[in-house]
Amino acid sequence: MTADLFQHIGDLRPSPEAMVEGAVLLRGFVRPVEAELIAALRAIIQQAPFRHMETPGGHRMSVAMTNCGGFGWVTDRSGYRYDALDPCSGKPWPSMPPVFRELAAQAADCAGFAQFAPDACLINRYAPGARMSLHQDRDEIDFSNPIVSVSLGLPAIFLFGGLKRSDKPQRFRLAHGDVVVWGGPSRLFFHGVAPLADGEHGLLGRQRINLTFRKAR
Ligand code: MD3
Ligand code: FE
């Protein structure tokens, strides 16, 4: 009886570092630079607007995406890949703003990854109801580099499984300002995001924006 109760209390785990090997959660890490970060983000989306990409299977993603940096992650009917050019404009992606690069490098450093130099930043926008199904990130060249994720706006429930798609995912709440460094074994774990609950965020309104910093090449 008591054991059951505790199992259910553990249903929404507060911190990846407690449960997932190689992941480090830095709650509120963005706060000191959030205004600068959001200003830089607005400039990027003017040059490279959010768009709903198509999966190789022909589904329109509910998450809208754009990128900055030397390479951007794209998907269409021909597959997933990193591309130096934005397929919507035919031009290079907007460059990665120094505040983005420095935040990612500092977070990685805090997690024990010195000299993290991302060359790609995928920017995901979730409107209420948008979700990301369980997947692995395997389009990068070297999995010894971590991925750094930055959550902004409305909170989301992040689903974190294991090395097999069938491993039952654990649930974590990621809120505005949280940064997670995904390295070591966690780097190749299946993960996703539950459908975004509606709400209103003071700085970003009815949406969640996630930045993921990667070393693609
Ligand atoms: C763990 N994005 O863009 S961020 C993705 O909230 C992605 O938009 C989610 O999964 C989002 O690929 C999750 C946290 C995250 C990102 C990449 C990871 C966790 C990860 C890669 C490997 C392991
Ligand atoms: Fe991912």
Side-chain angles (χ1 to χ4, degrees):
M1 177 65 173
T2 319
D4 274 349
L5 191 61
F6 280 108
Q7 259 161 30
H8 292 293
I9 288 170
D11 229 29
L12 194 68
R13 291 176 173 81
S15 60
E17 71 265 39
M19 294 301 301
V20 181
E21 211 187 329
V24 175
L25 172 68
L26 304 164
R27 285 228 193 263
F29 195 79
V30 175
R31 289 294 187 170
V33 295
E34 69 181 358
E36 239 189 296
L37 200 80
I38 291 170
L41 180 64
R42 293 196 199 285
I44 290 165
I45 62 188
Q46 282 190 359
Q47 286 178 253
F50 284 116
R51 76 291 306 259
H52 293 271
M53 297 185 195
E54 206 179 348
T55 65
H59 297 286
R60 173 189 191 263
M61 297 186 77
S62 63
V63 177
M65 297 177 165
T66 187
N67 292 275
C68 68
F71 299 96
W73 186 87
V74 294
T75 175
D76 59 22
R77 291 306 291 261
S78 68
Y80 310 129
R81 65 190 171 277
Y82 283 95
D83 202 313
L85 303 180
D86 175 351
C88 287
S89 66
K91 293 190 297 192
W93 296 101
S95 61
M96 199 182 295
V99 62
F100 276 38
R101 189 187 309 282
E102 284 157 20
L103 181 78
Q106 276 177 28
D109 197 64
C110 287
F113 296 91
Q115 312 290 328
F116 178 54
D119 57 10
C121 175
L122 172 62
I123 306 172
N124 295 139
R125 186 194 66 195
Y126 296 74
R131 60 190 288 271
M132 194 176 283
S133 55
L134 283 182
H135 66 278
Q136 290 173 300
D137 288 25
R138 347 181 24 125
D139 299 320
E140 303 73 28
I141 206 114
D142 179 358
F143 302 140
S144 68
N145 289 127
I147 289 182
V148 174
S149 79
V150 172
S151 291
L152 299 169
L154 292 175
I157 301 299
F158 178 71
L159 308 170
F160 208 74
L163 279 174
K164 292 184 306 216
R165 189 184 292 279
S166 56
D167 291 337
K168 183 179 159 39
Q170 300 168 10
R171 297 159 66 86
F172 300 98
R173 185 176 189 270
L174 291 179
H176 176 79
D178 292 348
V179 176
V180 191
V181 182
W182 309 92
S186 74
R187 173 68 180 75
L188 283 171
F189 283 11
F190 278 89
H191 58 277
V193 177
L196 192 79
D198 202 355
E200 178 76 27
H201 184 268
L203 294 172
L204 288 169
R206 286 179 74 195
Q207 60 180 342
R208 168 176 188 261
I209 292 180
N210 182 267
L211 316 177
T212 50
F213 294 90
R214 301 125 184 281
K215 182 135 176 46
R217 301 293 169 88

